[in-house]
Amino acid sequence: MSAITETGVVGAVDKELFIGGKWVPATGGKTFAVLDPSTGEALCEVADASPADGVSALDAAVAAQDGWAAVPPRERSEILSRAYGLLIERRDELALLMTLEMGKPVAEAKGEITYAAEFFRWFAEEAVRIDGGYAIAPNGAGRFLVMKQPVGPALLITPWNFPMAMGTRKIGPAIAAGCTMVIKPAAQTPLSMLALAGILAEAGLPEGVLNVLTTSDSGGVMEPLIRDGRARKLSFTGSTGVGRRLLEQCAEKVLRTSMELGGNAPFLVFADADMDVAIEGAMQAKMRNIGEACTAANRFYVQRDVVEEFSRRLTERMEALPMGRGTEDGVVVGPLIDQAAVDKVSSLVSDAVDKGARVLTGGATVDGPGNFYQATVLTGVPANARMAAEEIFGPVAPISVFDTEDEAIAAANDTEFGLVSYVFTSDLKRALRVSEKLEAGMIGLNQGIVSNPAAPFGGTKQSGLGREGGTVGIDEFLETKYIAVNL
Ligand code: NAP
């Protein structure tokens, strides 16, 4: 492949709105800047949609819905397969683009492009497996026919932390199910989604099926679309606070919702755990995406007998991590998304230290340019530290000690969130017992990464509603219709 350059990959992206299969400027030609979080400098300008542009995008999705629903599943599947192939073929360019707008190291960005593409491969396979049912009524007289149909035009909203995969995790099942859509990526990372729109058009997606809005006014543009009533579904990934507000807006027209919200993952290490596996799992669960993941281990609970060894070995690994711009070779700790993220991590660490935690490594910001925070390990973090209740969303590992299994489970469940929990133990009975008691939609059992397109991803409690991926992922975009047959 020819050498790819930063200006080359940014220059290659269409930066207008994608509506009805065409690239169009925002009303009045308005634009906003996309910044590189490792330098603070502008990479480019993209179209800044107004509420009127939002309505145009919804008009296009509504107009395309009936035709799209009638496209044979095999054709929908083949579009996804072609888009999968293009994502894999262009992985290096797309990864560099993602690193520039989001900051994660290029090696991780490549991993995300592969992960993102796998959702298209998975849902290409699911598109042709939408089933129904035929049953005899209990009284023997009638018959039940059950069919599944696309829910209708969908609104999709995605966060900045996985700019490509959080999109394909929604777009894949929507295409497979026969739904049209309007998608709004986060203003901080719109370029990956714009590049994806181009790829889907190239893969043969008909006009109007996917419409992309980039905007600096997410609330102002999306609320009217949610309240409009023509879209029948909102699939949102982002913070619990915003999710709650959107649920209220959806209540007006009773939209179907999928909510992938915040997390506060506990990471339990029992004394009988294989310590090599636990340390490896801890590094993955904490440092994937520089700690900016909903699945990030947010609280480490370690049994007293092994807490010293675990803390020492985790500290050694964390302090050896190279920090820098994500485009540099070997970098693991890239910049956080913005200064506000650095300030939040800083204030959570100060709060924990004020309440008695001890810093084993890191614990400080790094002079600019860029939004860097050191890889940090804290020990003796008390239960009343703010970071025990709030998402850290940065490279900070807070360790607390426990004595009994019941104590560990109670601490783990002491949160309003319920996305994922991690358990490290070599005792099979304990593994299953603890997994059953943990209040979470997903458990990493001796494993620091749970995300997999073929598995149902999602949370309980205030971490969300519904599941993405797996065999249930497509159901989020399907309605069940039952036909009562009089024989
Ligand atoms: P966020 O602030 O909630 O934003 C998420 C998306 O919602 C962005 O596109 C944002 O656009 C948009 N948005 C914000 N306010 C809105 C409003 N009033 N109306 C409509 N859209 C609105 O979250 P974030 O900071 O981007 O992402 C981090 C959060 O996402 C964390 O809490 C993380 O745990 C969660 N997350 C969850 C999952 C999961 O699968 N459960 C996966 C990844 C991330 P703008 O930014 O342009 O305003």
Side-chain angles (χ1 to χ4, degrees), residues 157-161 166 169 184-187 218-219 222 236-239 242 245-246 260-263 294 391 393 419 457:
I157 301 178
T158 54
W160 51 264
N161 63 343
M166 297 302 94
R169 204 164 75 170
K184 192 212 76 64
S218 49
M222 294 311 288
F236 171 75
T237 298
S239 60
V242 172
R245 287 215 296 283
L246 297 180
E260 296 287 347
L261 308 178
C294 53
E391 276 188 299
F393 245 58
L419 189 62
F457 188 105

Side-chain angles (χ1 to χ4, degrees), residues 92-160:
D92 290 355
E93 294 97 299
L94 293 166
L96 178 57
L97 184 70
M98 186 188 297
T99 293
L100 291 173
E101 65 175 348
M102 187 275 166
K104 73 179 70 182
V106 164
E108 278 202 60
K110 285 183 189 171
E112 182 179 336
I113 299 297
T114 305
Y115 173 51
E118 284 296 333
F119 282 106
F120 281 181
R121 178 147 74 159
W122 176 259
F123 285 108
E125 291 155 353
E126 291 295 282
V128 289
R129 315 241 185 282
I130 299 169
D131 60 5
Y134 178 88
I136 302 173
N139 67 5
R143 298 291 181 269
F144 301 155
L145 290 180
V146 177
M147 65 190 294
K148 294 194 180 156
Q149 294 179 306
V151 68
L155 304 173
L156 316 178
I157 301 178
T158 54
W160 51 264

Side-chain angles (χ1 to χ4, degrees), residues 34-106:
V34 182
L35 306 181
D36 177 340
S38 66
T39 61
E41 284 169 16
L43 292 166
C44 62
E45 296 275 323
V46 297
D48 192 356
S50 68
D53 296 321
V55 174
S56 301
L58 181 57
D59 289 346
V62 170
Q65 179 58 61
D66 286 351
W68 177 236
V71 168
R74 179 63 74 199
E75 283 181 33
R76 302 201 298 264
S77 168
E78 282 166 355
I79 291 167
L80 284 171
S81 293
R82 283 194 291 274
Y84 164 78
L86 289 169
L87 280 166
I88 296 297
E89 191 183 303
R90 297 185 194 155
R91 186 173 62 164
D92 290 355
E93 294 97 299
L94 293 166
L96 178 57
L97 184 70
M98 186 188 297
T99 293
L100 291 173
E101 65 175 348
M102 187 275 166
K104 73 179 70 182
V106 164

